[in-house]
């Protein structure tokens, strides 16, 4: 079996780092100097290397472009107080990547290739990790079918790439979201739990329409009845209802969010009772009417903790109170930040530390 204990690095002769204005980071606008590239052929992954970030020469017949075998992850790395870099929950992201790949009939990425490849990439581009609070280096692992062939088939060849991008906060203000009751993001038994490209492409039209109506995002409901909340566009969703943290219980239609999982763990540490269960539109409307729904927020790698200010249910706007410093969402956001930068003990062993020499 091939092992990937060390990954060769070809460094760029022309770093773009000095062109970047770290005070004006937009999500995904800048891509760091290097990327990891590995190829899958003849049943195994070959020759991973770190190379200068740049275009790939590919046939327009590659299967991913036609039949959608493309899976990605979203992760983050943080500059720590001691100057090292922490990669948040690397093993959990690797596990989820492989679950998504299995659903899309794609080969797993070995653990040592993922961890060693990403560690070497971050060592190489550590100067791209932003230092200001609220900023981080977003990490985008991607696997796609690269066999050039028009027949409808499972590809025999793939590329695994990891690229990174310095980012600031994903949303700049509390969100106005609309409960979506016409379109569907995912149905049970489909690919909703997988981080495959098509899930995002299929969400564009409803999200675009919601934006035209003055919303920032949609709250997806279940495919059968449009009655239960699944997740929010690009993130999971959580509520504080009747003094408890509530989040929709995972189904095959909901992404198993790693920020979601981390917040559930931290809610126990912070002493807030929590429940994973079905959350209906009526639960929300009732919570607004009796004043027991006190917080709503999105949770995701890119978004981290994104306050929701307004939820539109059946065409009516319901307003949430502003989330102050003592709100659960602000406390948990701060705790996550402290753990990631090493200001608080990493009791759950979530940080993968990259030593910067
Ligand atoms: C993430 O939070 O990492 C995502 O993948 C959501 C979106 C930016 C695509």
């Amino acid at each position: 079996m091939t092992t990937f204990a060390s990954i060769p690095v070809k460094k760029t002769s022309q770093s773009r780092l000095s062109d970047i204005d770290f005070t004006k980071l937009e999500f995904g606008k800048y891509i760091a100097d290097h990327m990891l590239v590995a190829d899958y052929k003849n049943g195994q992954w070959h020759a991973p290397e770190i190379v200068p970030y740049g275009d790939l020469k590919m046939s327009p017949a590659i299967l991913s472009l036609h039949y959608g075998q493309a899976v990605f992850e979203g992760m983050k790395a943080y500059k720590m107080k001691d100057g090292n870099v922490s990669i948040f929950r690397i093993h959990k992201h690797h596990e989820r990547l492989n679950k998504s790949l299995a659903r899309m009939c794609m080969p797993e990425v070995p653990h040592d290739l993922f961890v060693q490849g990403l560690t070497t990439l971050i060592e190489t581009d550590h100067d791209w990790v932003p230092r200001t609070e609220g900023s981080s280096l977003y990490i985008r692992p991607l696997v796609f079918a690269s066999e050039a062939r028009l027949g409808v088939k499972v590809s025999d060849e793939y590329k695994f790439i990891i690229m990174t991008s310095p980012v600031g906060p994903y949303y700049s203000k509390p969100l106005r979201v609309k409960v979506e009751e016409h379109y569907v993001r995912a149905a049970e038994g489909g690919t909703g739990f997988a981080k495959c490209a098509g899930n995002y492409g299929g969400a564009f039209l409803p999200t675009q329409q919601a934006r035209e109506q003055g919303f920032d995002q949609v709250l997806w409901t279940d495919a059968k009845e449009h009655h239960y909340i699944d997740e929010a566009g690009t993130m999971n969703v959580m509520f504080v209802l009747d003094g408890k943290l509530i989040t929709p219980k995972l189904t095959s239609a909901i992404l198993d969010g790693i920020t979601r999982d981390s917040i559930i763990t931290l809610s126990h540490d912070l002493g807030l009772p929590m429940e994973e269960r079905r959350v209906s539109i009526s639960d929300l409307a009732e919570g607004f009417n009796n004043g027991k729904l006190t917080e709503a927020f999105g949770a995701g790698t890119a978004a981290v903790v994104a306050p929701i200010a307004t939820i539109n249910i059946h065409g009516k706007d319901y307003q949430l109170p502003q989330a102050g410093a003592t709100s659960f969402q602000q406390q948990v956001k701060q705790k996550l930040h402290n753990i990631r930068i090493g200001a608080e003990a990493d009791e759950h062993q979530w940080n993968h530390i990259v030593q910067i020499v």
Side-chain angles (χ1 to χ4, degrees), residues 14-25 29-31 33 128:
Q14 283 192 312
S15 171
R16 289 170 284 106
L17 187 60
S18 58
D19 302 340
I20 311 303
D21 181 352
F22 276 83
T23 64
K24 290 200 188 94
L25 296 173
K29 181 173 174 189
Y30 305 114
I31 314 270
D33 279 335
W128 285 78

Side-chain angles (χ1 to χ4, degrees), residues 27 72-76 93 96 138-140 170 195 200 233-235 255 259 299-304:
F27 187 83
F72 68 93
E73 266 303 314
M75 311 172 60
K76 276 184 175 169
H93 280 281
R96 188 174 68 178
Y138 184 76
I139 300 167
R140 175 52 64 84
Y170 193 76
K195 223 164 158 55
Y200 294 80
T234 72
M235 48 197 184
L255 186 80
T259 308
T301 296
V304 191

Side-chain angles (χ1 to χ4, degrees), residues 103-343:
R103 178 62 180 82
M104 297 304 288
C105 242
M106 297 164 74
E108 288 195 349
V109 171
H111 184 260
D112 58 346
L113 170 56
F114 189 82
V115 172
Q116 198 49 46
L118 181 49
T119 305
T120 311
L121 181 64
I122 297 297
E123 278 164 1
T124 311
D125 276 341
H126 68 87
D127 282 334
W128 285 78
V129 184
R131 289 167 167 75
T132 45
E133 181 158 353
S135 301
S136 56
L137 189 71
Y138 184 76
I139 300 167
R140 175 52 64 84
L142 166 73
V143 185
F144 64 92
S146 54
E147 183 184 348
R149 190 139 170 172
L150 291 183
V152 182
K153 71 179 279 282
V154 173
S155 182
D156 286 327
E157 294 169 19
Y158 297 87
K159 265 196 188 299
F160 171 43
I161 308 247
I162 309 182
M163 58 199 128
T164 67
S165 169
V167 297
Y170 193 76
Y171 292 112
S172 55
K173 58 174 182 41
L175 305 177
R176 188 172 141 70
V177 302
K178 167 194 165 186
V179 174
E180 179 58 61
E181 293 177 86
H182 174 66
Y183 294 105
V184 164
R185 174 186 172 273
E188 290 240 35
T191 60
F193 71 91
K195 223 164 158 55
C196 56
N199 289 345
Y200 294 80
F204 283 163
L205 177 70
T207 309
Q208 198 68 20
Q209 290 184 357
R211 293 223 169 99
E212 282 159 17
Q213 294 159 9
F215 300 100
D216 300 298
Q217 268 300 347
V218 293
L219 270 187
W220 295 107
T221 48
D222 72 285
K224 263 194 200 148
E225 300 173 62
H226 281 302
H227 187 56
Y228 296 97
I229 305 294
D230 274 356
E231 58 177 87
T234 72
M235 48 197 184
N236 296 105
V237 66
M238 300 186 139
F239 306 95
V240 177
L241 183 62
D242 204 6
K244 270 191 208 156
L245 178 68
I246 310 283
T247 192
K249 187 171 153 52
L250 294 177
T251 68
S252 57
I254 299 179
L255 186 80
D256 181 1
I258 291 166
T259 308
R260 173 189 181 279
D261 180 79
S262 308
I263 292 176
I264 290 175
T265 301
L266 294 182
S267 72
H268 302 311
D269 297 357
L270 288 167
L272 186 71
M274 96 80 43
E275 252 179 54
E276 292 177 74
R277 64 158 166 93
R278 298 226 283 184
V279 183
S280 69
I281 303 180
S282 327
D283 292 337
L284 297 186
E286 195 185 312
F288 276 115
N289 289 333
N290 63 20
K292 291 188 175 171
L293 181 62
T294 49
E295 296 187 39
F297 56 96
T301 296
V304 191
V305 171
I308 294 175
T310 310
I311 303 183
N312 184 282
I313 304 175
H314 305 316
K316 180 175 170 199
D317 273 358
Y318 292 86
Q319 223 52 50
L320 281 144
Q322 208 185 341
T326 57
S327 63
F328 172 74
Q329 60 188 284
Q330 291 300 337
Q331 285 185 54
V332 84
K333 185 178 174 189
Q334 192 60 50
K335 197 164 171 67
L336 264 177
H337 173 75
N338 290 346
I339 294 170
R340 287 159 162 170
I341 64 159

